[in-house]
Amino acid sequence: ELFEKKNYELRIAGGAVRDLLSGVTPQDIDFATTATPTEMKEMFTGAGVRLINNKGEKHGTITARLHEQNFEITTLRIDVVTDGRHAEVEFTTDWHKDAERRDLTVNSMFLGLDGTLYDFFNGYEDLKNKKIRFVGKAADRIQEDYLRILRYFRFYGRIAEKPGDHEPNTLQAIKENAKGLAGISGERIWVELKKILLGNHVNHLVQLMYELDIAQYIGLPLDGNLEEFAKVAKNIQNLSPKPMTVLTSLFKGKDDVTNLDLRLKISKEEKNLGLFLVKHRQELTKAPGPEPLRPYQDFLMDSREANTNSKIFELLKYQGEEQLLKEMQEWTVPSFPVSGHDLRKMGVSSGKEIGTALQQLRDEWKKSGYHMDKEELLSCLKKL
């Protein structure tokens, strides 16, 4: 109503339109308008609408807070100068020109609040046909921001029906511009890469990253283990792994984790998970016989580190052990029934002896599959 009263046009833009047309509830709704940031500020302040101070203003974005919700509204704009990372913009009232500088056709549509779809580049057609294409010439779009190479992969994994359905000239443009990713910050790359790792067609897309020479510029090992990756990509289907669990299958050793961290500045938790998987994926496996979970349970009981159980869950996903994962998630860590106090009551007095005795009993308890209770263990002590 505010925009209408002042005769400014206001439409929903980009990703939210794509989601609505796909029958998905959008996470955030971004708006585009013909009003400039200054005009919006005057209008909102005049109407007593709270503005959230954010740094988007020079790019034309104002954030208004209404009914406990933030709304981002951006003035239509044209990119004047781009350096492959940032753009200098100038404002416009031409919707076509604004759509032209967006990355992919499926992200370049606008939706009027009356339900009219404004679609200058056949985005709706592409969405229905599950095609991912750049707006205009792929090379031009990529050179405006090299991160768009990874965005192409991410949306391919989200929307495309089957692997391998790319336009040859798009792949060519990606290959010719892959080097540009070297200048993009690790943090921005990691955000996109994590989404690719959790999307569809992940095996196809990562193989493609190697074929198109992208891998080396985004922190992946030059000689990534693509066979292992293909195997793990199959294992983790429907198990909701963490991105790092999927990615670690490319790595041959801990140096690969360190190099990834240097390039992408991953979190400490992600780094530790990668190192854990590289170290234990070979030897920490299910036991033959009636107690397949025992090795994982023993490992957990012996571990002195925090959140070992969540790392073990990720290892089971990596190994594709769906049933064992369920059982392990339901297993509660038993607590050791004997304390130093119990031993003192039995006449063991020196601290050193108590320590030794407790350790021996712990070993017996472990051998019993953690089933022995206090009585059994203490009678065991008499024998020992």
Side-chain angles (χ1 to χ4, degrees):
E1 287 168 5
L2 288 174
F3 281 80
E4 242 167 33
K5 212 159 49 196
K6 296 274 189 191
N7 282 328
Y8 300 132
E9 290 178 85
L10 179 75
R11 296 173 188 169
I12 297 174
V17 182
R18 179 197 68 236
D19 286 345
L20 288 165
L21 292 173
S22 314
V24 177
T25 307
Q27 297 272 304
D28 338 276
I29 299 188
D30 296 329
F31 292 88
T33 182
T34 50
T36 66
T38 313
E39 291 169 335
M40 282 195 270
K41 281 207 305 210
E42 280 172 12
M43 174 177 71
F44 284 134
T45 321
V49 173
R50 204 176 128 209
L51 298 177
I52 305 281
N53 180 22
N54 73 340
K55 303 179 186 65
E57 205 176 309
K58 63 173 193 295
H59 297 296
T61 303
I62 294 288
T63 306
R65 187 151 179 87
L66 266 170
H67 310 301
E68 304 300 303
Q69 211 177 338
N70 291 355
F71 294 95
E72 283 199 357
I73 308 121
T74 304
T75 307
L76 297 182
R77 55 200 190 172
I78 306 166
D79 292 340
V80 195
V81 192
T82 54
D83 64 359
R85 279 187 304 191
H86 316 284
E88 279 180 38
V89 300
E90 117 189 345
F91 302 134
T92 177
T93 51
D94 183 335
W95 292 90
H96 186 281
K97 283 218 167 354
D98 184 277
E100 215 167 52
R101 56 162 201 88
R102 292 173 181 263
D103 55 2
L104 305 165
T105 60
V106 294
N107 293 337
S108 71
M109 300 176 274
F110 301 105
L111 188 60
L113 299 182
D114 60 356
T116 308
L117 182 65
Y118 299 88
D119 178 13
F120 302 101
F121 298 101
N122 286 334
Y124 192 28
E125 238 358 78
D126 285 344
L127 190 61
K128 284 193 286 202
N129 296 327
K130 303 190 182 333
K131 289 290 282 184
I132 300 298
R133 289 186 311 130
F134 283 102
V135 168
K137 280 182 66 180
D140 294 348
R141 290 295 81 76
I142 290 169
Q143 283 159 13
E144 287 160 3
D145 180 356
Y146 292 103
L147 192 68
R148 286 175 168 176
I149 290 175
L150 295 183
R151 283 176 63 83
Y152 173 84
F153 284 134
R154 160 151 73 100
F155 285 105
Y156 190 92
R158 203 157 127 185
I159 289 167
E161 199 140 37
K162 47 186 192 290
D165 187 16
H166 308 271
E167 296 187 346
N169 57 0
T170 300
L171 296 185
Q172 191 55 33
I174 288 175
K175 188 172 180 141
E176 284 165 11
N177 289 285
K179 208 191 255 87
L181 280 164
I184 301 287
S185 81
E187 290 86 344
R188 287 182 78 206
I189 287 175
W190 188 220
V191 167
E192 292 297 325
L193 190 53
K194 283 195 277 200
K195 290 176 179 166
I196 294 167
L197 291 165
L198 299 184
N200 300 323
H201 316 308
V202 59
N203 185 36
H204 162 70
L205 293 171
V206 168
Q207 306 267 357
L208 207 50
M209 286 181 192
Y210 278 90
E211 281 165 41
L212 302 175
D213 286 338
I214 293 167
Q216 56 178 324
Y217 300 114
I218 58 173
L220 302 185
L222 276 176
D223 56 344
N225 190 342
L226 290 168
E227 270 173 51
E228 176 81 353
F229 189 86
K231 200 164 79 190
V232 172
K234 235 194 218 93
N235 286 348
I236 48 101
Q237 275 169 8
N238 314 322
L239 296 183
S240 320
K242 293 183 173 164
M244 203 61 202
T245 305
V246 191
L247 193 58
T248 303
S249 57
L250 278 176
F251 300 157
K252 294 186 173 154
K254 60 178 197 292
D255 290 354
D256 290 338
V257 183
T258 311
N259 291 336
L260 182 85
D261 183 33
L262 287 172
R263 175 68 181 97
L264 302 186
K265 322 256 190 303
I266 59 180
S267 74
K268 201 169 167 196
E269 185 195 331
E270 288 163 338
K271 185 177 182 180
N272 287 339
L273 175 59
L275 292 169
F276 176 86
L277 291 170
V278 163
K279 186 172 175 190
H280 299 291
R281 60 189 169 188
Q282 236 85 58
E283 79 276 12
L284 184 48
T285 52
K286 66 177 172 192
E291 293 189 280
L293 266 187
R294 269 301 284 283
Y296 302 99
Q297 292 167 330
D298 289 349
F299 188 93
L300 184 56
M301 296 300 289
D302 293 341
S303 169
R304 293 279 171 271
E305 279 175 44
N307 52 10
T308 299
N309 56 347
S310 79
K311 289 185 198 143
I312 287 178
F313 296 158
E314 292 305 307
L315 175 63
L316 286 163
K317 292 174 193 177
Y318 184 105
Q319 294 168 341
E321 298 288 1
E322 189 168 359
Q323 187 48 43
L324 292 186
L325 173 66
K326 273 201 194 85
E327 290 172 31
M328 192 70 189
Q329 283 166 334
E330 284 160 13
W331 186 65
T332 42
V333 177
S335 55
F336 183 51
V338 179
S339 68
H341 185 64
D342 299 321
L343 299 186
R344 274 191 208 94
K345 273 201 210 147
M346 290 181 65
V348 185
S349 55
S350 93
K352 196 175 170 198
E353 276 177 19
I354 289 179
T356 314
L358 280 176
Q359 193 48 56
Q360 285 176 323
L361 290 184
R362 239 192 128 80
D363 292 343
E364 291 299 317
W365 181 58
K366 185 173 169 181
K367 270 185 222 153
S368 77
Y370 313 107
H371 295 309
M372 290 171 86
D373 62 16
K374 189 184 207 159
E375 271 38 74
E376 290 172 297
L377 284 167
L378 291 177
S379 68
C380 200
L381 182 69
K382 291 178 185 141
K383 288 189 205 120
L384 290 171

